[in-house]
Amino acid sequence: MSNVYDISDQALINKQAAIWVTRLDRGLTKAELKELQHWLKNERNEQELFMMASTWDKLDSFSQLSTLFQPAIHNNSGKFVRRTYLIAASVIFCSLFVWLFTTFSLTEDESFLTADKVMSSHSTYQTAVGQHSTINLSDGSILTINTNSFVTVDFNANERLIKLVKGEIFIDVAHDNSRPLSVIADDTVFQAVGTAFNVKKVLNESIELLVTDGKVLIAELKNIKQSVDAASGIKMAMDLPLGVTQAAIPGDMVIIKSSLTSKQKRANLGGEDIKVSLGWLDRKLIFKGETLQDAMNEVARYTDSKFIIPEENLRNQKIAGVFKTDDIEVLLNTLSQNFNIHHERTQNGNILLVSK
């Protein structure tokens, strides 16, 4: 997975900065602090790291960055970027004060559980074809499961593991620096400490990741597994070398081919495209010019019926519209009325689509 198409120097700096922000979230070791200070000697690296931390609004990251940038802030060079850091530091201080006041105003009953009090748990969730389910997990994360999916959830004091055996999930991750949440799909791990993202297994052909909030680290399972005698089964991706992990940020769609894991495709989606991809959360299918064949492949995930389109021209016809995942009849009637596509059910329950 280390070979990504069309990675520019700026994209590499962006990826490395994302991983450093993740490490800052959980706190740096002395060795990492020294490594980061060396990395920050490059001004482009410095600017990208600070801007990324600002974009993701990480108070802990800002607190450590203000220390790292202290000499630069008092430098008499008068560069605009230095003034930006100083202004941002003032805003950060005010935000940090509010955060501290809120945190330490909690009563004893509202305090968080320490790691040694976290109970281990194992759960299995499965949805039937056309079914949609939302689960509130024990750590405060919210897991939404799409049609025909199978998921296992294992939580303990060291880690949070979700294995997507088949189907599609959306996970809104409760923030916990000490216990990253890892979603495992085939031989790929998607890991975060607090974010929101979608993972989909497509017909055993590929795995799709879509990040909507925060950042997600991507690594191969073989690189992230601990030794059998380690306390934790999954190593933190943020602890791996920069070249071994990759980072995905809001809007990133990463497609990993199951048959060729050294290759992947990546794009950053706009708001409308994200809405289309996540329409299933509202039980909607949104098509914006897909071919009829591609659209019916998606519809087939929500019904036991199989769609047969014998005409090549019809398979390539473009369609658009918004349909409910639990009302296939409305979709079929719309195809008939608006696109002149006739449908009929065969004896074995398949749905034949032909031109009128």
Side-chain angles (χ1 to χ4, degrees), residues 58-295:
K58 294 296 181 185
L59 295 179
D60 292 341
S61 301
F62 275 136
S63 177
Q64 296 188 58
L65 286 174
S66 64
T67 301
L68 292 171
F69 289 134
Q70 192 67 26
I73 291 175
H74 291 288
N75 190 299
N76 293 324
S77 64
K79 289 185 178 181
F80 171 77
V81 67
R82 308 299 187 208
R83 293 197 297 270
T84 302
Y85 294 156
L86 186 58
I87 294 170
S90 300
V91 176
I92 295 161
F93 176 79
C94 295
S95 300
L96 186 59
F97 175 80
V98 173
W99 177 77
L100 289 172
F101 177 81
T102 303
T103 300
F104 289 102
S105 295
L106 293 173
T107 65
E108 291 185 3
D109 292 336
E110 294 171 316
S111 61
F112 296 101
L113 290 175
T114 57
D116 60 343
K117 294 181 181 179
V118 176
M119 299 294 291
S120 296
S121 62
H122 171 82
S123 302
T124 299
Y125 302 100
Q126 185 170 10
T127 54
V129 173
Q131 188 179 4
H132 178 286
S133 182
T134 299
I135 299 101
N136 294 313
L137 301 179
S138 59
D139 68 330
S141 299
I142 301 174
L143 175 66
T144 307
I145 307 175
N146 202 1
T147 176
N148 195 24
S149 300
F150 187 88
V151 180
T152 62
V153 178
D154 290 279
F155 284 3
N156 58 47
N158 299 308
E159 61 191 2
R160 298 174 287 172
L161 301 181
I162 297 176
K163 184 175 182 180
L164 178 61
V165 180
K166 70 173 182 176
E168 183 174 19
I169 61 171
F170 182 88
I171 178 75
D172 190 346
V173 183
H175 196 94
D176 188 341
N177 287 341
S178 65
R179 289 194 306 158
L181 186 145
S182 300
V183 173
I184 303 172
D186 291 340
D187 58 356
T188 303
V189 178
F190 306 103
Q191 191 176 95
V193 295
T195 181
F197 59 98
N198 194 84
V199 181
K200 175 182 179 182
K201 292 184 67 173
V202 184
L203 300 176
N204 295 320
E205 295 178 358
S206 64
I207 302 166
E208 296 181 3
L209 167 73
L210 175 58
V211 182
T212 61
D213 181 60
K215 73 275 186 187
V216 175
L217 298 184
I218 309 169
E220 289 187 34
L221 186 59
K222 66 181 181 181
N223 292 329
I224 205 171
K225 274 189 174 180
Q226 290 269 36
S227 60
V228 293
D229 59 346
S232 174
I234 294 292
K235 183 181 177 66
M236 286 189 178
M238 64 190 73
D239 293 336
L240 296 173
L242 294 181
V244 177
T245 58
Q246 299 180 35
I249 61 176
D252 274 356
M253 165 74 82
V254 182
I255 302 175
I256 302 168
K257 295 293 184 181
S258 300
S259 59
L260 194 58
T261 54
S262 63
K263 302 292 185 180
Q264 64 174 248
K265 296 181 180 180
R266 179 185 294 252
N268 192 268
L269 306 185
E272 284 301 313
D273 289 330
I274 292 176
K275 183 178 179 181
V276 170
S277 295
L278 297 181
W280 70 269
L281 292 172
D282 295 320
R283 295 178 171 81
K284 293 179 181 177
L285 294 170
I286 305 174
F287 301 122
K288 298 178 62 178
E290 287 84 353
T291 66
L292 180 64
Q293 184 66 71
D294 288 342

